[in-house]
Amino acid sequence: ARFGAALSLAIVLESLEAASANTPAYKVLASHMKRIASVQIRSVASWGGNVMFTRNHPEFQSDLVTILAAAGAKFDVLQRSSAGLSSQTTVDVADLLKMEGDVLLMSMTIPRIPANVVFRTFKTSMRHVFAHAFVNFGACLTLDDQTGAVKSGRLVLAGATATLLSATNTMKAIMCKPLNDATFKLAVAAIKRDVATNPSKTLLQSPAYREQLVLSFLYKTFLAARASVPASMQSALTTFVTAEARPVSKGTEDFGTDPSEGPVGQYVVKRSAAVQASGEAIYPSDYGTGALFGQLVLSSSANAKLVSIDPSEALKMPGVHDFITASAIPGQNVVNGSLGGDNLKEKLFWEVGDTIPCVGVSLGVIVADTWRQARDASLRVKQVYGNEAAVVSDLAQAIRLRSTSSGAMPAGQKHNRRAVKDEHASGVEFAALEKTAPSNVLRVKNTFKTGGQSHFYMETQSVFAVPYDGNHWDVVVSDQDSNFTQGCLAMILNLPQHNLNVKVPRAGGGFGGKLTRQCWTAGAAVVAAHKLARPVRIQNERTDDMRLVGGREPIQFDYDVTFEPDGKLDSLDMMCTMDPGWFYGDCAGDMSMATAWSDNVFKYNKFKVDSQAAVTHTPHRTSMRAPGCMQSILASCVIVEHVAKSVGKSVDEIIDMNMYKVNDTTPFGDHIGHDGYNWTVPILCDKVRQSSHYEERKKLVEAYNRTNRWTKKGIAMTPVKYVMGIDFYASGALVNIYGDGTIMVSTGGSEIGQGLNVKVALCVANALGAPLEKVVVGPRETSKVPNNTGTGGSGTSECTSEAAILACEELAPKLKPYIEQKKKWEDAVAAALADKVCLMASGWYQYQKGENANAYATQGCAVCETTIDVLTGEVQVDRLDVIMDFGNQLDAAVDIGQLQGGFVIALGLLLTEEQKVDSKGTPLTLGTWEYKIPSAYDIPLEFNVALLEDSPNPRGIKGSKASAEPAMCLLSAVYLALKNAIYAARKENMGNDDWFMLHTPVTPEAVRAAVGLSEDKLLLPPQ
């Protein structure tokens, strides 16, 4: 097969598949190519560009080049000599990569590989597709028909080595030998020598793991050479996760509705979905045509003194207007001044002479005509540092150095903090005094570590600032808390708040990353616009955004639990230590949530949980969806699983034995089953157990594991209790009815993709009896609805909807007589306006707290089944069944979507999203190349969702409950299913399934390390 160099990867792939009937090896190549990039990129990117990029950058680990080298591809090239003459020649991959001077790649020929030749390619990466490989491996071996000995061939690998490697030592070791155990041992020793000639220097995977992958791929190659392989070992050769082997995910959605409440509760698709899908939706990053562009200049060193900063080279670049620093700030040089306390340490622009706390704080902003000009110039600003001191780069190091502080909030800070959750105590101690400790109590203690996570919202931090009428401002921001942004910008500009109107048309995602962190870009934009007296817009480049916004906090849980011999829980003593980055800042709420959600559904006689922060020289972290509590709820299940193993019982038995019951009181003051706090967890567990056929599938999983050596399955079920203290929220709405019967609603909540606007519209239509199509929910603006609580914590949609309902309750009586007379909505409105009736009203809602600490709890249960590849550590989530009690949902489509989307974020935290920093504090996992959120090939193959019917929330808005974040905390089902699969592998590899600790994220490397597979277990079946 011959291909011109300009042909796309997609055309090559399709051509290979079409020819694979006669040349099966082409199918192997095509299958591997489906894991390169994405469908869109493969459709436009040429194979020639990929190959020549590797030639210019030998360190680039190209999947394509590796498999082409294994296939023996030849390339037609023109090479220019030093004399200026060009000559045409045909070369292989190795020669092409070594060619010097100007080379023009013209075409490629992939030879036909006979069907009796062993041709295999392998790859393991952080996620299944669209991710560069940890290790790529290709083998093409011709065997003697009579003896089975190797006659010729190629072994090629990349990733374990710094550049593409042809494993010549290994080929020598196996030449003229049959592929048996003895030869495999020789090959193992030889390929280790091959890798040692030029080992990879990457810090992202350990050398031990890369070696394990190389040996596993070599082993799979030897297996593939066998005429027959026992059924129990065939899973090593079965395609595990490639695009063609994985069907499109499927699932069911079950829910009930109350027709009398329509359109509330119905399955109503988010009204902006069509324009968002088509690209017509307008976001803050789209505002500002003709404005100047700003780009932040970010620090490049940590815990070092900034000696000088020189923008002279940047200022000479085309289109650059200015480099703006702290001297241009008319007010306070602080990012989140409204928070006070520890947050006053954080400067908007750090200055010469300052000790820079971490890589990624802002030193100033470059302003230019275009985004590209500003971005390029920002990278040319020279920074000089001195007095460089030791860097504390991670939580483990901070704890070792004891750089910890209490989770208690600084005095006076509590009431100023604009956050998404009420502040709970940083610790709690509870004892049911009527209970006496059993005399035969057992105890286990250990440490469970959870990693951080980047927000990775669709739209990076974006702002458009417009000065007008002297010192008045319109500021369009991608944010979750416009009122907070307004207050911070007023302090930066030294202006009263009424001079600033902060507007959010919609934000392209937030997940907590735009509650406070948006003020850095917004502050830079208004300072630049103030100095230049021109509109300025800023949108962070993705790697800059990830450098600036630290993401979810890593948390370490040190637990000490006592229990009776039958598994009945007695006491828990736990310390939650969180990494907030370089200062404590706005993480108090996340620490308190880690504490106040940590009991989950489990009852203890004595319960003590404390939290503390351990600062590092890394970017400041902030809230991210289910902040703190997603990790602490997972920790609760880790503890229960540890207890189960200790007493020789199943996790299911221990959960059932220790769940709260009606009339129990939690350590935090919630009375189960009282004051509207309904308790449905037992019902949910029973329902999902039956609907998922859990007991039958447990037996099938056991049978699978008995008959499969190299893949193992696990299945698990876990419940969740996610408390909601909605008395924290203060929500406003303004409802205006126009002469044509249309309705404009303005609220204090930000539409960040969560469907807030459609829920408000449904409630307004219901409250007024108006057609839904007449209702539009407009942008959030501080000039219309001020003083609103920030959008987050899963409670804003319901509270904002209630504020709109309250406004409608003022309007509805005014319209009632006209509706009774006129019948038609538009006619009734026209008649009311003719009588000069005021058809505008505002509503303000704040929940009145009852006897419980929290208003209610969203509850749920999940069953998950997973499969692992024992040889590589790769994971597939086979099936997930989730049932949630959302009360009477406000919008079935939105709430189910929030459940599903939120859970995928949780899968990322658990499986694919790993943050790493080097010893100097430099982030290693920035941008899409190294940081991998789940793809469509990482979500469950089957994802079934059900909402509990006929269970209205007595304390909820129209009987509803919060969605999204509660369901995310069911990631414990995936975690325990994975662990059960690993137990099955350990029993076969190590001879036991004793308890072990498994930290998160559970990356392929973590799984491979946990299965306990040693090199001497890589045995070939008898011939």
Side-chain angles (χ1 to χ4, degrees):
R2 189 177 185 190
F3 304 97
L7 290 178
S8 69
L9 288 164
I11 291 175
V12 175
L13 192 160
E14 292 165 5
S15 301
L16 290 173
E17 283 192 314
S20 63
N22 296 323
T23 309
Y26 287 173
K27 186 71 172 177
V28 175
L29 287 170
S31 294
H32 198 120
M33 288 178 68
K34 286 180 180 178
R35 297 184 68 185
I36 298 173
S38 64
V39 172
Q40 295 90 336
I41 291 175
R42 291 197 300 267
S43 297
V44 296
S46 69
W47 69 263
N50 185 295
V51 170
M52 294 304 281
F53 184 85
T54 307
R55 174 181 174 268
N56 294 333
H57 300 276
E59 73 282 0
F60 175 61
Q61 304 292 330
S62 169
D63 292 29
L64 183 65
V65 170
T66 305
I67 62 177
L68 291 178
K74 301 292 184 180
F75 303 92
D76 295 321
V77 299
L78 280 174
Q79 183 177 26
R80 181 182 295 171
S81 67
S82 57
L85 301 175
S86 297
S87 59
Q88 183 171 340
T89 185
T90 300
V91 295
D92 61 17
V93 167
D95 290 336
L96 176 61
L97 297 183
K98 291 185 291 188
M99 293 181 79
E100 297 181 355
D102 294 336
V103 175
L104 175 65
L105 178 60
M106 297 186 296
S107 64
M108 163 182 70
T109 301
I110 303 176
R112 288 188 173 181
I113 300 173
N116 62 345
V117 170
V118 179
F119 183 73
R120 290 288 188 276
T121 65
F122 305 101
K123 167 184 177 175
T124 295
S125 52
M126 186 62 85
R127 65 182 175 204
H128 297 147
V129 298
F130 204 3
H132 68 82
F134 301 151
V135 173
N136 270 310
F137 189 98
C140 185
L141 302 176
T142 302
L143 308 182
D144 187 280
D145 292 337
Q146 302 299 318
T147 65
V150 177
K151 293 172 60 177
S152 62
R154 293 174 294 277
L155 291 173
V156 184
L157 60 109
T161 51
T163 57
L164 185 72
L165 175 75
S166 178
T168 54
N169 287 320
T170 312
M171 281 306 305
K172 289 177 183 176
I174 65 175
M175 282 297 294
C176 303
K177 296 183 181 69
L179 297 181
N180 54 26
D181 277 320
T183 305
F184 182 71
K185 289 180 181 178
L186 294 173
V188 166
I191 207 162
K192 288 180 180 179
R193 293 197 302 274
D194 279 322
V195 172
T197 61
N198 190 20
S200 171
K201 302 298 192 296
T202 180
L203 300 176
L204 296 176
Q205 295 82 41
S206 69
Y209 178 54
R210 294 194 295 271
E211 181 180 279
Q212 288 168 347
L213 287 177
V214 170
L215 300 188
S216 293
F217 294 154
L218 184 65
Y219 177 76
K220 291 188 177 198
T221 302
F222 271 60
L223 273 182
R226 294 299 175 100
S228 63
V229 177
S232 64
M233 303 183 77
Q234 287 177 4
S235 58
L237 300 177
T238 302
T239 304
F240 187 49
V241 290
T242 63
E244 61 189 352
R246 187 193 196 283
V248 174
S249 292
K250 63 180 181 179
T252 58
E253 298 176 351
D254 295 322
F255 58 93
T257 60
D258 181 356
S260 67
E261 286 289 343
V264 172
Q266 307 297 313
Y267 195 94
V268 180
V269 175
K270 193 168 66 171
R271 302 169 82 194
S272 60
V275 293
Q276 288 179 297
S278 67
E280 298 170 273
I282 301 299
Y283 293 87
S285 52
D286 296 312
Y287 279 73
T289 301
L292 296 176
F293 284 82
Q295 281 287 291
L296 296 174
V297 175
L298 303 179
S299 61
S300 57
S301 288
N303 202 22
K305 182 179 180 180
L306 181 62
V307 175
S308 67
I309 184 165
D310 180 6
S312 57
E313 187 176 343
L315 291 172
K316 295 175 185 176
M317 296 176 70
V320 175
H321 287 252
D322 203 350
F323 174 56
I324 294 167
T325 60
S327 61
I329 298 173
Q332 296 185 40
N333 184 12
V334 61
V335 178
N336 289 156
S338 293
L339 294 179
D342 199 43
N343 294 276
L344 298 178
K345 296 177 181 177
E346 187 180 33
K347 291 186 175 184
L348 177 63
F349 297 142
W350 293 74
E351 303 168 77
V352 171
D354 288 342
T355 296
I356 303 301
C358 67
V359 173
V361 298
S362 176
L363 308 180
V365 59
I366 284 281
V367 182
D369 289 328
T370 69
W371 183 91
R372 172 53 60 191
Q373 289 171 339
R375 167 73 175 154
D376 290 345
S378 71
L379 301 176
R380 303 289 283 273
V381 176
K382 294 179 181 178
Q383 306 172 30
V384 177
Y385 292 90
N387 300 335
E388 297 184 6
V391 170
V392 178
S393 59
D394 60 32
L395 182 57
Q397 190 179 4
I399 293 173
R400 268 198 320 273
L401 296 173
R402 299 194 171 138
S403 58
T404 58
S405 61
S406 166
M409 296 191 68
Q413 187 175 335
K414 175 176 178 180
H415 299 294
N416 292 328
R417 184 177 184 270
R418 304 294 296 180
V420 300
K421 286 289 182 185
D422 197 2
E423 300 303 346
H424 297 268
S426 62
V428 62
E429 187 165 357
F430 168 87
L433 298 178
E434 69 276 10
K435 298 287 186 180
T436 57
S439 58
N440 55 347
V441 69
L442 303 176
R443 165 177 271 121
V444 294
K445 56 172 66 177
N446 216 288
T447 295
F448 173 54
K449 301 176 182 179
T450 63
Q453 185 179 24
S454 292
H455 291 87
F456 218 93
Y457 25 63
M458 179 184 72
E459 179 185 39
T460 57
Q461 301 284 354
S462 303
V463 59
F464 171 52
V466 183
Y468 70 94
D469 287 354
N471 247 338
H472 288 79
W473 293 80
D474 277 335
V475 186
V476 182
V477 188
S478 184
D479 86 357
Q480 297 176 241
D481 194 344
S482 303
N483 191 71
F484 175 75
T485 303
Q486 180 192 42
C488 291
L489 296 185
M491 294 179 73
I492 290 167
L493 292 172
N494 194 26
L495 292 174
Q497 285 184 235
H498 68 209
N499 280 38
L500 295 107
N501 179 37
V502 177
K503 178 179 178 180
V504 186
R506 62 167 59 84
F511 313 132
K514 297 173 182 176
L515 282 165
T516 64
R517 300 291 83 196
Q518 75 281 0
C519 293
W520 219 325
T521 45
V526 296
V527 170
H530 177 268
K531 180 179 180 183
L532 300 176
R534 289 185 58 179
V536 172
R537 59 191 294 196
I538 294 177
Q539 182 179 16
N540 286 343
E541 188 270 340
R542 177 67 67 182
T543 58
D544 287 348
D545 201 84
M546 295 176 73
R547 190 177 283 111
L548 193 70
V549 183
R552 185 189 302 277
E553 305 94 343
I555 307 179
Q556 175 173 307
F557 299 91
D558 296 291
Y559 64 85
D560 183 347
V561 60
T562 64
F563 48 95
E564 299 177 33
D566 65 352
K568 187 71 173 176
L569 297 173
D570 174 45
S571 70
L572 175 66
D573 188 348
M574 184 165 71
M575 174 60 77
C576 313
T577 306
M578 176 181 287
D579 174 6
W582 69 268
F583 76 109
Y584 184 74
D586 62 347
C587 293
D590 301 352
M591 292 172 67
S592 65
M593 287 179 70
T595 300
W597 274 248
S598 58
D599 61 328
N600 194 12
V601 301
F602 305 118
K603 181 181 179 182
Y604 291 87
N605 296 327
K606 295 177 287 294
F607 187 88
K608 181 184 179 185
V609 176
D610 289 310
S611 64
Q612 62 182 3
V615 295
T616 56
H617 295 114
T618 60
H620 180 55
R621 297 178 178 272
T622 192
S623 297
M624 184 173 177
R625 255 184 163 178
C629 56
M630 184 157 65
Q631 291 138 294
S632 66
I633 290 173
L634 176 57
S636 77
C637 294
V638 169
I639 292 166
V640 165
E641 192 262 345
H642 196 170
V643 170
K645 272 291 185 180
S646 300
V647 299
K649 289 188 174 182
S650 70
V651 175
D652 297 332
E653 291 176 282
I654 302 302
I655 289 175
D656 290 343
M657 182 187 303
N658 290 286
M659 273 201 302
Y660 286 123
K661 296 178 175 61
V662 171
N663 296 323
D664 284 338
T665 300
T666 74
F668 305 94
D670 288 326
H671 306 288
I672 304 293
H674 292 269
D675 192 31
Y677 196 111
N678 62 350
W679 186 243
T680 57
V681 170
I683 298 171
L684 297 167
C685 290
D686 288 343
K687 283 183 174 293
V688 79
R689 184 182 280 113
Q690 294 173 25
S691 64
S692 68
H693 308 289
Y694 178 56
E695 299 300 334
E696 300 95 312
R697 286 169 57 206
K698 282 201 294 186
K699 295 175 183 177
L700 293 174
V701 165
E702 291 173 1
Y704 180 93
N705 290 338
R706 285 194 299 269
T707 56
N708 284 273
R709 176 70 180 95
W710 296 120
T711 57
K712 297 294 181 184
K713 286 184 177 288
I715 188 169
M717 182 176 80
T718 59
V720 69
K721 168 180 69 70
Y722 192 97
V723 296
M724 288 296 298
I726 61 173
D727 54 297
F728 165 73
Y729 293 93
S731 303
L734 175 65
V735 179
N736 295 323
I737 303 175
Y738 298 104
D740 60 355
T742 58
I743 304 164
M744 170 64 77
V745 185
S746 300
T747 77
S750 296
E751 173 58 62
I752 54 177
Q754 84 282 40
L756 179 149
N757 285 354
V758 70
K759 287 185 176 182
V760 170
L762 292 172
C763 289
V764 168
N766 172 269
L768 292 176
L772 178 59
E773 63 270 17
K774 296 292 184 182
V775 185
V776 169
V777 181
R780 176 181 185 174
E781 295 188 55
T782 54
S783 62
K784 293 181 179 177
V785 183
N787 307 319
N788 213 89
T789 309
T791 299
S794 296
T796 309
S797 293
E798 58 185 298
C799 293
T800 303
S801 295
E802 180 63 12
I805 290 170
L806 292 174
C808 292
E809 288 176 352
E810 182 179 328
L811 294 169
K814 298 179 181 180
L815 286 167
K816 184 178 179 181
Y818 299 97
I819 291 173
E820 291 172 347
Q821 293 172 18
K822 302 294 184 180
K823 304 300 182 185
K824 193 176 179 182
W825 169 258
E826 294 88 339
D827 294 340
V829 169
L833 288 175
D835 287 345
K836 304 296 188 291
V837 175
C838 176
L839 294 184
M840 60 178 288
S842 63
W844 185 259
Y845 175 70
Q846 185 161 21
Y847 176 82
Q848 296 303 308
K849 197 165 185 174
E851 67 176 70
N852 289 314
N854 296 284
Y856 64 86
T858 298
Q859 298 150 55
C861 192
V863 170
C864 183
E865 182 179 331
T866 62
T867 306
I868 64 169
D869 186 323
V870 177
L871 289 164
T872 65
E874 290 168 292
V875 171
Q876 181 166 276
V877 182
D878 300 312
R879 177 172 169 179
L880 181 67
D881 294 79
V882 176
I883 183 168
M884 297 297 300
D885 174 10
F886 285 166
N888 292 345
Q889 73 277 350
L890 293 178
D891 183 334
V894 167
D895 285 328
I896 289 173
Q898 283 291 290
L899 187 165
Q900 294 163 330
F903 203 94
V904 172
I905 289 181
L907 283 179
L909 173 71
L910 185 65
L911 300 177
T912 66
E913 299 182 48
E914 185 175 32
Q915 293 182 321
K916 286 196 171 182
V917 178
D918 70 14
S919 59
K920 294 185 177 180
T922 303
L924 300 175
T925 48
L926 298 176
T928 58
W929 184 250
E930 295 296 359
Y931 191 81
K932 301 300 179 183
I933 63 173
S935 75
Y937 295 88
D938 301 287
I939 65 176
L941 282 163
E942 184 174 350
F943 196 164
N944 301 313
V945 174
L947 305 185
L948 185 64
E949 299 183 33
D950 302 319
S951 182
N953 176 16
R955 287 287 187 176
I957 310 309
K958 300 193 80 64
S960 69
K961 290 187 176 183
S963 60
E965 289 186 1
M968 294 173 69
C969 298
L970 287 170
L971 85 164
S972 53
V974 185
Y975 174 91
L976 291 182
L978 275 176
K979 202 169 183 189
N980 286 337
I982 294 170
Y983 277 127
R986 287 167 73 92
K987 192 168 185 178
E988 202 157 356
N989 295 332
M990 303 170 67
N992 69 75
D993 60 354
D994 295 343
W995 182 87
F996 68 99
M997 177 54 74
L998 182 66
H999 303 299
T1000 67
V1002 188
T1003 61
E1005 179 171 359
V1007 173
R1008 183 59 174 79
V1011 297
L1013 178 62
S1014 57
E1015 188 179 307
D1016 61 351
K1017 299 292 184 182
L1018 297 176
L1019 299 175
L1020 297 166
Q1023 289 279 26

